[in-house]
Amino acid sequence: MSTNSTPAPSGTPAPGTPTTSAPAATGTHATTHAAHLHRDLHNRHIQMIALGGAIGTGLFYGSASSISLAGPAILFVYLIGGCTIYLVMRALGEMSVHEPVPGAFSHYAYTYWSPRAGFISGWNYWFNYIFVAMSELSVVGLYINYWFPAVPTWLTAAFCLVFITAVNLLGVRAFGEFEFWFALVKVIAIIGMIVLGILVLVVGLQEPHQVPPGTSFAELVFPNGLKGATFAFVVVMFSFGGIELIGITAGEADDPRRSIPRAINLVIQRILIFYVLSLAIIMAVIPWRSIDGHASPFVQIFDSVGITFAAHILNFVVLTAALSVYNSGLYSNGRMLYSLAQQGNAPRIFATLSRAGTPYVGILTSSAVTVVAVVVVFAFPNFAFGYLLSIALIAGIINWTMVMITQLKFRAALGPERVASLAYKLPGGLASSIFVLVALAACVVLMLFQDAYRVAVFVGPAWLLLLTIAYQVKVSREKRHARA
């Protein structure tokens, strides 16, 4: 994606020009970000939003598949994956603290890379969250049916869509409050499981499972060899999808230069506590080979001490997690369309803001498109989950890759002296960037050898080509209008 000669929108710096404030909107809605978007997200909101991005159904249910692949070695895999995603967040944080604006990585790609890069980054992320929201809304009815089997799943999906849309239209404070409590439910559930597991081991409610005599360290830690551990890396990386939401909140944080670094710095601690510690306790209490995916490991550990209503607890937690994902997705999609409109990479109407400071046109449009996507899921479930979701999977890797490349271009545009004076920097500099890019490339290669992810590898290049063509069509239409 090379820089082209398309002029920047009115009031927007040319790509590659360092900025310290958000560009002005284009057209009749021309305003500055600071004048209209309300900075009503406080530190506690940012902290819990960061937690919510790091914890999802991938931990509650997906951990079973990763454990079955790697065994106890999954703890090392989560450490490696956690370090990788932490560096991605530090790279994004470096730019977000320097220039806290909505749209985050799309805005930075537009400014420091090229208009084409901003277009691809923004629309890739928007579609990504449309597909993720689609999948969450399509299964939320199943969680409700667990308690109320007579309720139609489509009715549940419709109610949740309308409710979350209304929350986002109220303003960023409403979004932040709901996301705070959604994330808190997940945190309490994990802490409860950790405490229970420790009591089981320390108090002696259940004896730790015994290791067969003569078992070597390699057989104990890497029972499926390095192959199993490396294949689990794909599952682990996908479980971190959505954590980049921290960067988007910078545009509406009341003190982004303080809250964003604090949230990102705590990511690695959360990974150690909520992923590594919880999975270590699960495998200490339950033999890892008995974790077959038929039930969540979290349910199994509660069942092991006779807490029979554990399935109800987890059902409530994953229902909350699904609502949290859609809440976050609708928030980020509205801001992403707003940022794309600021760049001239989306219709100018998406830059329209309500009195509450919300990009309501982008929110309502995203919600409407999600309705269509959910209908597709209900009508053609095999096609939807086999192909559309594969785009969501590869889109996350595309997004992280573009963040790292943009950060390199960001530093090149600033120059050594200004980079040295940055308030919040990616540790390790170029070496960290190369490490992340290699890790993400390795993840894509590993996907080729797994049936569940192989289709995503082929969808990815086609998806990038489609976005590139869409950008060229936009540029051609603008040139025709300019000549008219």
Side-chain angles (χ1 to χ4, degrees), residues 349-419:
I349 193 172
F350 290 128
T352 308
L353 297 173
S354 69
R355 290 183 179 179
T358 61
Y360 69 96
V361 178
I363 291 173
L364 291 173
T365 301
S366 300
S367 186
V369 173
T370 304
V371 171
V372 176
V374 172
V375 171
V376 171
V377 170
F378 282 124
F380 310 101
N382 292 332
F383 169 79
F385 285 101
Y387 295 96
L388 294 183
L389 283 186
S390 64
I391 300 177
L393 297 178
I394 199 66
I397 291 182
I398 292 173
N399 183 53
W400 294 335
T401 301
M402 293 192 73
V403 166
M404 300 311 299
I405 296 175
T406 299
Q407 187 264 346
L408 291 174
K409 293 182 177 291
F410 165 78
R411 286 197 167 197
L414 261 62
E417 291 186 3
R418 295 189 67 188
V419 168

Side-chain angles (χ1 to χ4, degrees), residues 41-307:
L41 288 178
H42 303 315
N43 182 61
R44 67 181 181 91
H45 296 133
I46 303 295
Q47 296 297 318
M48 295 306 286
I49 288 170
L51 273 175
I55 305 168
T57 53
L59 175 60
F60 296 114
Y61 279 108
S63 56
S65 60
S66 60
I67 290 173
S68 64
L69 280 170
I74 192 61
L75 303 181
F76 296 104
V77 181
Y78 265 106
L79 284 174
I80 296 172
C83 288
T84 302
I85 202 66
Y86 172 68
L87 292 175
V88 173
M89 294 312 302
R90 285 297 299 258
L92 179 57
E94 178 177 290
M95 296 181 286
S96 296
V97 171
H98 178 73
E99 194 173 343
V101 295
F105 32 83
S106 175
H107 169 84
Y108 306 137
Y110 172 85
T111 303
Y112 299 102
W113 190 341
S114 72
R116 182 188 289 113
F119 179 95
I120 291 176
S121 175
W123 284 109
N124 171 69
Y125 190 75
W126 185 82
F127 276 106
N128 177 29
Y129 251 120
I130 288 293
F131 298 139
V132 170
M134 167 197 72
S135 65
E136 295 294 342
L137 281 177
S138 64
V139 298
V140 73
L142 301 179
Y143 303 140
I144 296 297
N145 284 162
Y146 184 80
W147 296 308
F148 307 103
V151 178
T153 54
W154 68 264
L155 182 61
T156 302
F159 173 81
C160 292
L161 183 142
V162 172
F163 173 72
I164 296 298
T165 301
V167 167
N168 275 265
L169 290 174
L170 289 175
V172 68
R173 175 70 67 85
F175 158 76
E177 287 297 331
F178 273 90
E179 196 57 31
F180 176 88
W181 292 104
F182 285 154
L184 188 61
V185 169
K186 293 184 283 187
V187 171
I188 291 174
I190 295 175
I191 292 175
M193 190 283 302
I194 291 174
V195 171
L196 178 63
I198 292 174
L199 288 175
V200 167
L201 296 173
V202 175
V203 179
L205 297 177
Q206 179 176 313
E207 290 292 328
H209 58 86
Q210 300 297 315
V211 177
T215 303
S216 67
F217 176 81
E219 293 172 328
L220 175 64
V221 180
F222 295 90
N224 294 334
L226 289 176
K227 179 180 178 180
T230 53
F231 277 13
F233 183 67
V234 177
V235 182
V236 167
M237 290 304 294
F238 283 140
S239 70
F240 293 128
I243 198 171
E244 63 280 347
L245 179 65
I246 302 173
I248 294 180
T249 63
E252 291 167 286
D254 63 344
D255 188 5
R257 288 180 172 82
R258 182 176 66 93
S259 58
I260 297 301
R262 289 185 62 183
I264 293 174
N265 289 339
L266 288 173
V267 165
I268 195 68
Q269 298 177 29
R270 297 184 189 105
I271 291 169
L272 288 172
I273 295 173
F274 294 113
Y275 281 91
V276 178
L277 179 58
S278 62
L279 294 185
I281 289 176
I282 285 172
M283 289 186 288
V285 176
I286 306 170
W288 72 268
R289 294 186 186 278
S290 66
I291 302 174
D292 52 14
H294 294 302
S296 167
F298 285 77
V299 172
Q300 287 183 260
I301 198 170
F302 280 94
D303 284 343
S304 68
V305 292
I307 299 179

